[in-house]
Amino acid sequence: MVWKSTKGNMALCPFHRERHPSCKLYEDHYYCFGCQAHGDVIKLVQELFSVSAIEAVKQINSDFALGLDVDKPPDMEKVNRRRREIAERKASIARVEHMYDVLLRYFTLLDKYKMRYAPTSPDEDTDERFVYALQNIGYAEYMLETFNRFDKEQQAEIKLEVDRIEREYKRCVEEWGE
């Protein structure tokens, strides 16, 4: 089977019959917009030749003369170190996303309070949520905007402040609602 790549790295999909290319070839994976087949090169070889993952690796190693010693057991220390690195990176990303989410939710809440509880006439009593929003929305906006400009070290440095803001957000929601 020969994959003819066309403009934009599109090819005829080997997994279903078609006249026009619907399979996009990327650097590290493929995706068929017709049948939704997708995966990396190992999965591609597995599917094409109906072999296990290890057999696919051996086939790729042989076909492309990669010189890998695929029969040697993996160095579990390196494997575990790599797994820890990946887990740490994912945890770091999750922390940053959580911090950003806290800042965004707090700013959005204050903006709602500012709009929803603004006095409609000079004689109307001023709602405490409106006053609170006016007093704090500038800081919330500043934190949200600068957080995106911070590098990872700076983001980590303000974690305690973001934790304080998260507690304040929860207090507001419990006391005044959303």
Side-chain angles (χ1 to χ4, degrees):
M1 167 172 307
V2 175
W3 278 33
K4 285 182 90 177
S5 180
T6 62
K7 194 172 190 177
N9 288 337
M10 297 296 289
L12 294 175
C13 180
F15 302 115
H16 73 278
R17 300 187 76 142
E18 63 182 357
R19 288 188 189 174
H20 303 288
S22 65
C23 190
K24 176 83 170 172
L25 306 174
Y26 298 92
E27 285 280 327
D28 60 346
H29 69 284
Y30 67 93
Y31 180 81
C32 178
F33 295 96
C35 68
Q36 283 74 48
H38 64 282
D40 59 15
V41 67
I42 296 170
K43 184 172 179 190
L44 175 66
V45 173
Q46 280 183 267
E47 297 292 324
L48 284 175
F49 299 105
S50 299
V51 295
S52 68
I54 190 66
E55 291 302 315
V57 169
K58 289 179 180 180
Q59 183 69 42
I60 293 166
N61 187 43
S62 171
D63 289 352
F64 292 94
L66 298 178
L68 302 174
D69 188 358
V70 292
D71 293 320
K72 182 177 118 183
D75 181 344
M76 290 313 291
E77 184 179 321
K78 286 182 181 178
V79 169
N80 290 331
R81 187 175 334 120
R82 180 72 176 138
R83 285 181 179 160
R84 281 191 305 273
E85 289 170 3
I86 291 169
E88 288 170 7
R89 189 171 340 116
K90 285 181 180 180
S92 175
I93 290 168
R95 279 190 301 275
V96 168
E97 288 174 351
H98 176 75
M99 289 171 64
Y100 180 79
D101 183 57
V102 166
L103 294 171
L104 181 61
R105 282 185 291 134
Y106 185 61
F107 173 78
T108 302
L109 180 69
L110 295 177
D111 194 48
K112 282 181 191 177
Y113 287 171
K114 186 176 86 170
M115 301 303 286
R116 188 176 295 157
Y117 300 107
T120 55
S121 71
D123 299 334
E124 185 180 341
D125 286 341
T126 306
D127 190 293
E128 64 182 318
R129 291 168 283 204
F130 175 72
V131 173
Y132 178 84
L134 289 181
Q135 291 172 339
N136 293 284
I137 198 164
Y139 181 66
E141 183 177 21
Y142 165 78
M143 288 296 291
L144 187 59
E145 288 178 359
T146 56
F147 183 80
N148 288 326
R149 293 188 200 122
F150 284 168
D151 61 27
K152 289 181 185 197
E153 285 180 21
Q154 291 169 313
Q155 288 172 344
E157 288 173 8
I158 66 163
K159 182 174 180 352
L160 291 176
E161 179 62 10
V162 174
D163 290 345
R164 185 197 67 75
I165 290 171
E166 184 173 28
R167 288 189 302 274
E168 184 64 14
Y169 169 82
K170 288 177 181 178
R171 185 198 65 76
C172 290
V173 170
E174 287 174 8
E175 188 175 330
W176 295 324
E178 287 193 69

